[in-house]
Amino acid sequence: MPKPILYGIYVSPPVRSVLLVAKAIGLDLEFREVNLGSGENKTPEYLEKNPQHTVPTLDDNGNIICDSHAIVTYLIGKYATDDSLYPKDLYKRALVDQRLHFDSGVLFVRLRAIIRQVLYQNNPNIPQEKLDDLSEAYGFLDTFLTKSQYLSGPSMTIADLCCIATTSSAQGLVAVDSKKYPNLSAWMKRMESLPYYEEINGKHAKQLIAFVNGKIAELKK
């Protein structure tokens, strides 16, 4: 059986979240980089797979799935050897799902709003309101972590892997204050201690941060 193919770019937080989950379950993916700058994501071939022309996109032997959270839950259901990362218990799963929705509907949306302004609108003057929105999201994460070491309970789930991909990128624009967000800061260190974290997520988050901040500096000249 051929390897599942993942289309994306390494600097994308949603793409990295899929790669983190795949690594956590020992799944070997074939990675095909999509050059967004040259418009590879808007070619007829790619649009046939993903009309929204976003990354990531998964092709599992002809089964096409878009959206990082849809992809990771699919991969868990098909390839994971147990349900530890995405529990079958309805209540535990609901908590994981809520954190996933928080990632896609709050955390990543607020990060993307800043990145789009800089990279696509060529506007380096980020309104304080957008920065405050990210800080507010940090506060929510810190609250989620008040009673447990991970976002939805005592052990790591796909919610943690998805949210760390976003948070590790966001911190380059709004720093995570360890005094203001002690639970969040401790959780980030916990996630960073994963043996595969730096190779799959850490170094690419740093690349994204450097690129965005470099663009801001260039536009302000």
Side-chain angles (χ1 to χ4, degrees):
M1 182 179 293
K3 296 179 185 178
I5 302 168
L6 185 69
Y7 295 87
I9 53 173
Y10 287 110
V11 295
S12 163
V15 171
R16 282 185 268 120
S17 69
V18 175
L19 293 171
L20 283 168
V21 170
K23 187 67 174 181
I25 62 175
L27 176 63
D28 190 15
L29 296 172
E30 178 183 337
F31 189 79
R32 294 187 184 177
E33 194 152 7
V34 179
N35 190 328
L36 304 185
S38 66
E40 282 186 4
N41 60 317
K42 295 183 180 179
T43 62
E45 181 183 27
Y46 192 84
L47 289 173
E48 185 176 354
K49 295 182 178 69
N50 183 344
Q52 293 176 271
H53 53 81
T54 55
V55 291
T57 297
L58 181 77
D59 182 347
D60 187 14
N61 197 29
N63 294 319
I64 308 297
I65 304 173
C66 309
D67 183 274
S68 59
H69 295 155
I71 292 171
V72 297
T73 55
Y74 169 83
L75 293 179
I76 291 291
K78 184 170 182 179
Y79 294 104
T81 57
D82 59 49
D83 71 340
S84 59
L85 289 175
Y86 193 44
K88 292 179 181 177
D89 177 89
L90 290 179
Y91 177 65
K92 292 178 180 178
R93 176 165 288 201
L95 290 179
V96 175
D97 287 340
Q98 189 277 325
R99 304 318 191 226
L100 291 175
H101 289 306
F102 175 82
D103 181 38
S104 61
V106 178
L107 184 61
F108 181 70
V109 167
R110 296 180 183 190
L111 170 61
R112 184 178 59 187
I114 296 174
I115 292 176
R116 277 189 169 181
Q117 176 184 316
V118 175
L119 300 185
Y120 296 100
Q121 299 173 12
N122 292 318
N123 182 355
N125 302 310
I126 302 167
Q128 187 61 44
E129 181 182 1
K130 288 186 177 181
L131 300 175
D132 291 343
D133 283 346
L134 259 187
S135 294
E136 182 184 51
Y138 292 167
F140 291 137
L141 288 170
D142 196 74
T143 300
F144 294 156
L145 292 157
T146 300
K147 296 181 180 180
S148 61
Q149 290 193 324
Y150 295 93
L151 287 174
S152 58
S155 59
M156 184 181 74
T157 69
I158 56 174
D160 298 282
L161 293 168
C162 290
C163 285
I164 192 60
T166 308
T167 308
S168 60
S169 303
Q171 69 171 341
L173 296 168
V174 177
V176 175
D177 186 333
S178 60
K179 292 183 179 179
K180 189 174 182 180
Y181 310 112
N183 301 319
L184 175 58
S185 180
W187 169 79
M188 291 181 70
K189 290 179 181 178
R190 205 170 294 124
M191 297 302 294
E192 289 166 1
S193 71
L194 291 169
Y196 48 84
Y197 173 87
E198 185 61 27
E199 179 65 22
I200 294 177
N201 185 71
K203 70 177 185 180
H204 300 299
K206 292 170 187 172
Q207 289 171 353
L208 176 62
I209 291 167
F211 182 67
V212 174
N213 285 331
K215 183 69 172 180
I216 290 173
E218 177 187 331
L219 291 169
K220 285 186 174 181
K221 286 181 180 178

